């Protein structure tokens, strides 16, 4: 009885040690492979991310300049007050401007996330993906991304309408 149990216990302990050593070796090889994959793909990820920061700047800088110019011209003053900003954003022109800016911001965000995801999948599968292939895939998905962005904006707008209604009411009561 007791001797047999001791031998069985020794075998179980030996098997556990072997399994633990094997698992440690597997983890080391997996973490090494993951580190090599990340190192190989890091320049692509950083380049793609910087490209979209630049695209955002190229798109939003002129829009911001236009909005600021419009507000200064319409305020008849050299400074822009909170009243001028609220008037603009609560006007039809301001709501259209806001809709376009937010929707384009979502499109750029989803476009970038889609590209980074495609790069990650290609790296994981150890396949080379070129920039023209990546942009071809993304531009083919652009209509769907645009619809997704518009839906995202409308969902946010749906939840923001009560706050906007209160803001509009306060604007009408106190600022007009």
């Amino acid at each position: 009885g007791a001797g047999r149990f001791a031998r069985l216990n020794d075998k179980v302990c030996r098997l556990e040690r072997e399994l633990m050593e094997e698992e440690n070796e597997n983890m080391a090889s997996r973490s090494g492979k993951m580190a090599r994959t990340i190192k190989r793909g890091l320049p692509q990820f950083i380049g793609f991310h910087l490209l979209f920061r630049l695209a955002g700047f190229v798109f939003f800088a002129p829009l911001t300049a236009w909005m600021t110019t419009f507000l200064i011209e319409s305020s008849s003053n050299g400074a822009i007050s909170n009243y001028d900003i609220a008037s603009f954003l609560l006007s039809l022109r301001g709501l259209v401007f806001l809709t376009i800016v937010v929707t384009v911001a979502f499109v750029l965000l989803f476009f970038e996330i889609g590209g980074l995801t495609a790069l990650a999948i290609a790296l994981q599968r150890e396949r080379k993906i070129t920039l023209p292939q990546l942009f071809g895939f993304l531009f083919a998905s652009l209509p769907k991304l645009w619809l997704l962005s518009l839906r995202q904006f409308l969902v946010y707008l749906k939840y923001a309408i009560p706050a906007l209604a209160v803001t509009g009411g306060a604007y009408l009561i106190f600022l007009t």
Side-chain angles (χ1 to χ4, degrees), residues 24-45:
N24 287 338
E25 289 172 7
N26 286 340
M27 283 180 54
S29 71
R30 281 190 302 231
S31 63
K33 184 180 178 183
M34 185 170 52
R36 286 188 300 276
T37 301
I38 290 172
K39 193 176 185 179
R40 191 176 73 236
L42 197 58
Q44 289 176 311
F45 286 118

Side-chain angles (χ1 to χ4, degrees), residues 11 14 52 70 75 118 142 147 154 159:
K11 279 186 174 181
R14 190 173 46 249
F52 275 87
F70 176 78
S75 74
L142 192 58
L147 285 173
L154 292 175
Y159 289 111

Side-chain angles (χ1 to χ4, degrees), residues 31-161:
S31 63
K33 184 180 178 183
M34 185 170 52
R36 286 188 300 276
T37 301
I38 290 172
K39 193 176 185 179
R40 191 176 73 236
L42 197 58
Q44 289 176 311
F45 286 118
I46 291 173
F48 196 76
H49 178 71
L50 290 176
L51 178 69
F52 275 87
R53 295 297 74 128
L54 181 64
F57 177 75
V58 166
F59 179 77
F60 289 113
L63 279 178
T64 305
W66 173 83
M67 185 184 79
T68 306
T69 303
F70 176 78
L71 287 172
I72 290 172
E73 288 173 355
S74 66
S75 74
S76 71
N77 195 346
I80 302 171
S81 68
N82 290 345
Y83 175 77
D84 297 324
I85 295 170
S87 297
F88 174 71
L89 291 176
L90 292 173
S91 70
L92 181 62
R93 180 181 279 179
L95 289 175
V96 169
F97 175 81
L98 191 62
T99 302
I100 291 170
V101 167
V102 171
T103 303
V104 169
F106 279 132
V107 166
L108 285 174
L109 175 69
F110 295 152
F111 205 81
E112 180 181 4
I113 290 171
L116 291 173
T117 303
L119 284 172
I121 290 170
L123 278 171
Q124 182 188 25
R125 294 180 180 170
E126 297 181 4
R127 293 187 182 153
K128 182 82 171 153
I129 186 168
T130 64
L131 220 50
Q133 288 173 327
L134 182 60
F135 279 106
F137 165 73
L138 291 172
F139 279 115
S141 303
L142 192 58
K144 291 179 183 176
L145 290 174
W146 195 267
L147 285 173
L148 177 64
S149 300
L150 187 58
R151 283 184 186 160
Q152 188 79 30
F153 172 73
L154 292 175
V155 166
Y156 284 144
L157 185 64
K158 178 178 96 172
Y159 289 111
I161 283 177

